[in-house]
Amino acid sequence: QSALTQPASVSGSPGQSITISCTGTSSDVGGYNYVSWYQQHPGKAPKLMIYDVSKRPSGVSNRFSGSKSGNTASLTISGLQAEDEADYYCSSYTSSSTFLYVFGIGTKVTVL
Amino acid sequence: QVQLVESGGGVVQPGRSLRLSCAASGFTFSDYTMHWVRQAPGKGLEWVAVMSYDGGNKQYAESVKARLTISRDNSKNTLYLQMISLRVEDTAVYYCARGTGTTFDYWGQGALVTVSS
């Protein structure tokens, strides 16, 4: 699968805001409002943080927000906390004939 | 609460077969589309397969088509992934995930499959 492009790592101090980008094509991110973001702590299962670009599931902190412009989606974490240190993956529905969903390569968020 | 528990992982030689199971609880299993997603060691996530709520429709990633088969038994609240002709590159943690709309809203803890001679 051709993965969506994410920065390998992003870091910030407690209380700061950080943004993770997720770049795809018009066949996935740019073509549909079906971008999701997942948080994964080491050795744990992914957890849904954002879906349909900007919607937050019940129970997810409002410090997490999502947006999209063209072929690039973004996840912003405001008021960074130590517990936010994890890997973050974006995903998108795709019109590809070889797979239905595509994921990003993942971004390691470090809280300094 | 929603729970998904995978089982059936292990070490297997190349060319052999393995079947994973995913036991669901805490929701009406027969109402939901279900997916398998895998993660190779130290790598990112890769979507593998999906099956509709009633088992009537399924799709696969091209990379696993013809070797992996997704199925479900709604009477047992269980999702399956039959894997044949396993390759070294199939080594991964396999997660089952519930599908809601176009997202994966709950994930199991994963089952590790190691393909090695």
Side-chain angles (χ1 to χ4, degrees), chain A residues 1 34 36 38 40 44-46 48 51-52 89 97-101 103, chain B residues 35 39 43-47 50 59 61-62 95 102-105 107-108:
Chain A
Q1 298 182 7
Y34 298 144
S36 297
Y38 303 89
Q40 187 179 36
K44 301 294 187 182
L48 177 64
Y51 68 99
D52 291 352
Y89 294 91
S97 61
T98 55
F99 42 89
L100 202 56
Y101 292 88
F103 285 90
Chain B
H35 299 262
Q39 185 171 33
K43 302 295 185 182
L45 299 165
E46 179 187 16
W47 176 79
V50 59
Q59 282 184 261
E62 196 66 29
Y95 296 101
T102 54
T103 195
F104 315 105
D105 61 351
W107 300 60

Side-chain angles (χ1 to χ4, degrees), chain B residues 8-47:
Chain B
V11 180
V12 62
Q13 292 179 326
R16 304 298 290 264
S17 301
L18 203 63
R19 188 178 83 158
L20 303 181
S21 300
C22 169
S25 61
F27 65 102
T28 305
F29 181 69
S30 58
D31 283 349
Y32 287 87
T33 291
M34 296 296 296
H35 299 262
W36 287 100
V37 178
R38 68 184 181 182
Q39 185 171 33
K43 302 295 185 182
L45 299 165
E46 179 187 16
W47 176 79

Side-chain angles (χ1 to χ4, degrees), chain A residues 21-39:
Chain A
S21 61
C22 169
T23 300
T25 69
S26 57
S27 296
D28 37 65
V29 174
Y32 307 93
N33 287 324
Y34 298 144
V35 176
S36 297
W37 290 90
Y38 303 89
Q39 176 192 66

Side-chain angles (χ1 to χ4, degrees), chain A:
Chain A
Q1 298 182 7
S2 298
L4 303 175
T5 301
Q6 295 181 235
S9 62
V10 173
S11 61
S13 300
Q16 285 187 330
S17 293
I18 61 168
T19 297
I20 303 168
S21 61
C22 169
T23 300
T25 69
S26 57
S27 296
D28 37 65
V29 174
Y32 307 93
N33 287 324
Y34 298 144
V35 176
S36 297
W37 290 90
Y38 303 89
Q39 176 192 66
Q40 187 179 36
H41 288 106
K44 301 294 187 182
K47 176 187 176 184
L48 177 64
M49 306 302 285
I50 294 288
Y51 68 99
D52 291 352
V53 176
S54 59
K55 298 177 182 176
R56 242 185 345 266
S58 172
V60 172
S61 171
N62 59 8
R63 297 185 298 103
F64 292 84
S65 62
S67 62
K68 190 187 86 166
S69 176
N71 295 338
T72 299
S74 298
L75 174 71
T76 297
I77 309 174
S78 57
L80 200 60
Q81 299 179 1
E83 68 212 44
D84 300 332
E85 184 161 299
D87 292 326
Y88 291 82
Y89 294 91
C90 61
S91 80
S92 174
Y93 177 82
T94 171
S95 62
S96 167
S97 61
T98 55
F99 42 89
L100 202 56
Y101 292 88
V102 60
F103 285 90
I105 59 174
T107 297
K108 170 67 176 176
V109 168
T110 301
V111 181
L112 302 170

